[in-house]
Amino acid sequence: MTLFTLRDRIKTERIHDGHIINLRIDTLQVEDGTTVLREVIEHNGGVVIAAQTAEHELLFVQQYRYSLDQTIIELPAGRIEKGEDPFLAAQRELIEETGFRASQWRTLTSLYSAPGFCDEVLYLYHASDLAFEGKKLDMDEETDVVKLSVDEAWSMVESGAIRDAKTVAGIAFCRLFNSPDPDSHP
């Protein structure tokens, strides 16, 4: 089996440098001298927040996703700005999308969204001790906040009503820990 590493890269062609993603095509050389291409999407990364109310309900956002041409239910999430600390991005995104601020935070894990073609890393947090302040949506965003128990949310995963991978992972972590102990963020 041939494993390709960055040391095998002989050329990079920048196809697109955008606001959200960049696209490059790398030419890699195999030991026998042949070449293969790898298309790579570069992304600053993102944050996902499993925000849990005092009643142990999770906050979700229901929003239209242009790329899918449908409205889906997701955990609050968003893009990390270039150079931004993921934890600060999580705090910002929770307020922007749901209107809630959390005073207790716990880091759950980090995930690769699509490692076959994308370098995006998603940072998953649990947030609790919530206080409503009001949404601060980006100009092109529109969300409805939905509150579901962890069991209700998991039933929606099982039925296919929730199919977003980062959301499934967040719900699974909450199920695993039942009601996560909201340790302070380090």
Side-chain angles (χ1 to χ4, degrees):
M1 176 166 60
T2 303
L3 300 175
F4 298 108
T5 66
L6 289 180
R7 70 177 177 271
D8 300 315
R9 184 171 55 191
I10 57 174
K11 181 176 113 180
T12 294
E13 182 182 357
R14 308 280 316 165
I15 303 298
H16 174 75
D17 286 322
H19 179 68
I20 297 174
I21 64 163
N22 300 327
L23 173 61
R24 71 175 200 257
I25 298 179
D26 291 343
T27 303
L28 308 174
Q29 188 165 14
V30 184
E31 289 176 6
D32 69 3
T34 59
T35 59
V36 296
L37 300 178
R38 291 292 181 264
E39 297 172 345
V40 179
I41 293 176
E42 302 168 338
H43 189 281
N44 286 341
V47 294
V48 184
I49 306 99
Q52 203 160 21
T53 68
E55 296 77 28
H56 301 290
E57 292 176 308
L58 292 174
L59 298 183
F60 294 88
V61 291
Q62 184 171 328
Q63 61 184 328
Y64 175 77
R65 289 299 196 174
Y66 178 82
S67 60
L68 301 173
D69 190 27
Q70 61 182 283
T71 299
I72 65 172
I73 295 176
E74 307 171 63
L75 287 173
R79 183 175 69 240
I80 299 171
E81 300 298 333
K82 188 171 182 147
E84 185 178 25
D85 178 88
F87 177 60
L88 298 178
Q91 291 178 312
R92 173 180 51 76
E93 287 292 341
L94 181 62
I95 293 169
E96 282 180 12
E97 293 194 352
T98 69
F100 285 88
R101 179 180 299 280
S103 61
Q104 297 291 318
W105 289 85
R106 179 180 179 186
T107 301
L108 296 176
T109 194
S110 60
L111 311 160
Y112 298 118
S113 64
F117 62 87
C118 184
D119 68 357
E120 179 184 36
V121 177
L122 297 173
Y123 299 87
L124 178 58
Y125 296 93
H126 180 267
S128 60
D129 197 9
L130 305 177
F132 186 75
E133 294 184 0
K135 289 184 195 177
K136 298 177 183 172
L137 294 170
D138 290 336
M139 70 170 214
D140 62 342
E141 283 184 309
E142 185 178 327
T143 64
D144 291 321
V145 176
V146 176
K147 295 179 184 179
L148 299 169
S149 73
V150 174
D151 289 340
E152 288 172 318
W154 191 252
S155 290
M156 292 178 76
V157 169
E158 291 179 322
S159 73
I162 293 178
R163 296 175 32 197
D164 174 61
K166 69 186 181 303
T167 298
V168 172
I171 297 167
F173 264 91
C174 289
R175 271 180 57 89
L176 181 64
F177 296 118
N178 201 0
S179 289
D181 192 32
D183 299 332
S184 295
H185 179 76

